């Protein structure tokens, strides 16, 4: 049995994960505030709790894996910088290992989610990419069955590759990143903008009824009702995702790519046009050989816990 911990800005989720990579016990706590000591105690307490709920002592656990947002030195097990946590620098790996006597692995949260989705695939795949469309565009890359993290643990930030020169501003300080077009945040921006330009549209009405705010579903919902302005927003959005995905597939030639995050709940409305566009423009696809099969992610919110737990298996 393994323990996977998924640290977020508001909560920490933990799961006891069995040898078949299924979560057997799950629990969570609010993210501890202020001090590193609070964080350490919170994580260890939560790990003990899920182990106990599964009928085990912490010492009977194989290893603990921790996924954290921000920059992670996965070789040393240190969170070197995380801007949405109170404590930006956390040597979690060595410290939790010392206190529990267990091997402890630490990885970036998007990389952990990718690893979780990789292990959840039905077929045997060597190369794989997972993309999460949320507030930003998270991603993780598996090459020859191993998570690829680069020399410093920071690899796989596909959301911050460029889609448009001098384009929309990105949170990373650059302009025109894929994230600035393909994230749910970008979709909401474009939805609200289209509604303003088309005050008589269904889209505009829907947003007005929602207190002037769009969400990641609004454009898809209005498009389904036949609204032309919404349809343009959705078509463009899918095109932005597709163009970035083609960059990704041309770079890594993965057998499978999965798309997760809130927007992926659109299912076929998203994936069918996305596949068509990718198939049309991807470079080097061979007749009869599946390259870059694009799918909806399977595990969703649990991917981070499962992937973190598997850091020790995939090391
Ligand atoms: Zn960026």
């Amino acid at each position: 049995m393994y323990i996977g911990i998924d640290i977020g800005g508001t909560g920490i989720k933990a799961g006891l994960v069995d040898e078949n990579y299924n979560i057997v016990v799950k629990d969570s706590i609010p993210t501890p505030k202020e001090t590193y000591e609070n964080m350490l105690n919170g994580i260890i307490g939560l790990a003990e709790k899920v182990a106990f709920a599964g009928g085990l002592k912490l010492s009977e656990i194989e290893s603990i894996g921790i996924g954290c947002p921000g920059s992670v030195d996965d070789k040393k097990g240190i969170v070197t910088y995380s801007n949405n946590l109170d404590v930006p620098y956390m040597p979690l790996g060595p410290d939790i290992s010392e206190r529990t006597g267990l091997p402890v692995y630490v990885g970036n949260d998007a990389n952990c989610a990718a690893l979780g989705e990789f292990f959840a695939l039905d077929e045997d795949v060597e190369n794989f990419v997972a993309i999460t469309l949320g507030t930003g565009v998270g991603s993780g890359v598996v090459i020859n069955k191993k998570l690829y993290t680069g020399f410093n643990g920071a690899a796989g930030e596909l959301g911050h590759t460029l889609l448009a020169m001098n384009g929309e501003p990105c949170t990373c300080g650059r302009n025109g990143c894929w994230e600035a077009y393909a994230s749910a945040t970008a979709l909401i921006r474009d939805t609200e903008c289209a509604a303003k330009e088309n005050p008589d549209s269904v889209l505009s009405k829907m947003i007005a009824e929602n207190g002037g705010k769009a969400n990641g579903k609004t454009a898809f919902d209005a498009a389904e009702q036949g609204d032309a302005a919404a349809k343009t927003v959705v078509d463009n959005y899918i095109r932005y995702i597709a163009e970035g995905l083609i960059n990704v597939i041309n770079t890594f030639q993965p057998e499978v790519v999965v798309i997760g995050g809130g927007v992926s709940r659109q299912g076929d409305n998203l994936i069918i046009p996305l596949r068509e566009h990718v198939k049309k423009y991807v470079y080097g696809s061979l007749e009869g050989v599946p390259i870059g099969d694009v799918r909806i992610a399977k595990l969703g919110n649990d991917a981070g816990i499962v992937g973190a737990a598997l850091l020790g298996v995939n090391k």
Side-chain angles (χ1 to χ4, degrees):
M1 293 280 209
Y2 306 90
I3 288 177
I5 310 262
D6 186 9
I7 301 179
T10 53
I12 297 183
K13 296 183 287 182
L16 186 63
V17 174
D18 70 14
E19 318 299 322
N20 298 315
Y21 318 133
N22 294 314
I23 298 178
V24 291
V25 177
K26 212 158 64 165
D27 207 339
S28 65
I29 52 167
T31 305
K33 297 289 173 199
E34 289 162 11
T35 69
Y36 177 55
E37 191 61 26
N38 290 346
M39 186 64 98
L40 276 181
N41 292 335
I43 292 171
I44 293 168
L46 188 59
E48 280 171 340
K49 219 172 141 194
V50 291
F52 188 72
L56 297 169
K57 283 181 272 184
L58 204 50
S59 57
E60 293 172 286
I61 298 295
E62 209 79 40
S63 64
I64 298 177
I66 302 170
C68 189
S71 305
V72 177
D73 182 334
D74 55 344
K75 288 163 191 82
K76 292 185 184 147
I78 296 172
V79 178
T80 49
Y81 183 73
S82 193
N83 62 356
N84 58 359
L85 298 174
D86 279 4
V87 187
Y89 179 91
M90 300 188 289
L92 293 174
D95 286 348
I96 294 179
S97 188
E98 196 190 302
R99 293 207 197 176
T100 61
L102 294 174
V104 178
Y105 304 92
V106 186
N108 169 272
D109 58 349
N111 283 344
C112 288
L115 195 59
E117 296 290 354
F118 176 67
F119 274 86
L121 291 174
D122 291 325
E123 69 272 68
D124 197 30
V125 160
E126 300 267 327
N127 305 290
F128 169 83
V129 176
I131 306 289
T132 307
L133 305 174
T135 312
V137 172
S139 53
V141 177
V142 172
I143 298 177
N144 297 331
K145 299 195 175 199
K146 298 278 180 209
L147 199 55
Y148 180 72
T149 60
F151 88 95
N152 56 358
E157 289 292 341
L158 303 173
H160 299 289
T161 56
L162 213 72
L163 203 61
M165 188 81 157
N166 301 321
E168 295 286 343
C170 183
T171 52
C172 72
R174 216 171 166 206
N175 284 73
C177 287
W178 189 25
E179 172 167 312
Y181 293 89
S183 61
T185 312
L187 172 62
I188 292 165
R189 176 200 65 214
D190 292 348
T191 302
E192 289 178 349
C193 180
K196 252 184 224 139
E197 285 170 4
N198 299 276
D200 299 327
S201 61
V202 175
L203 192 64
S204 179
K205 239 170 271 157
M206 272 187 173
I207 292 175
E209 281 162 13
N210 195 39
K213 292 258 171 246
N215 58 44
K217 268 180 88 238
T218 315
F220 282 96
D221 288 348
E224 206 149 79
Q225 293 185 30
D227 185 67
K231 209 173 164 320
T232 304
V233 172
V234 169
D235 288 351
N236 285 338
Y237 179 63
I238 292 175
R239 178 83 192 275
Y240 292 139
I241 301 171
E243 292 298 345
L245 264 187
I246 293 167
N247 292 342
V248 170
I249 295 171
N250 285 348
T251 307
F252 298 106
Q253 297 296 357
E255 292 101 309
V256 178
V257 178
V258 301
I259 310 281
V263 178
S264 71
R265 284 187 215 115
Q266 295 299 333
D268 284 351
N269 287 340
L270 175 77
I271 215 78
I272 291 173
L274 196 55
R275 274 188 193 142
E276 273 171 22
H277 196 84
V278 167
K279 213 176 146 193
K280 197 165 161 192
Y281 293 108
V282 76
Y283 191 86
S285 57
L286 301 167
E287 201 61 43
V289 179
I291 293 173
D293 178 9
V294 182
R295 304 176 191 171
I296 298 291
K298 249 194 210 170
L299 299 180
N301 289 336
D302 287 339
I305 295 175
V306 176
L310 296 176
L311 283 174
V313 181
N314 191 252
K315 64 180 182 290

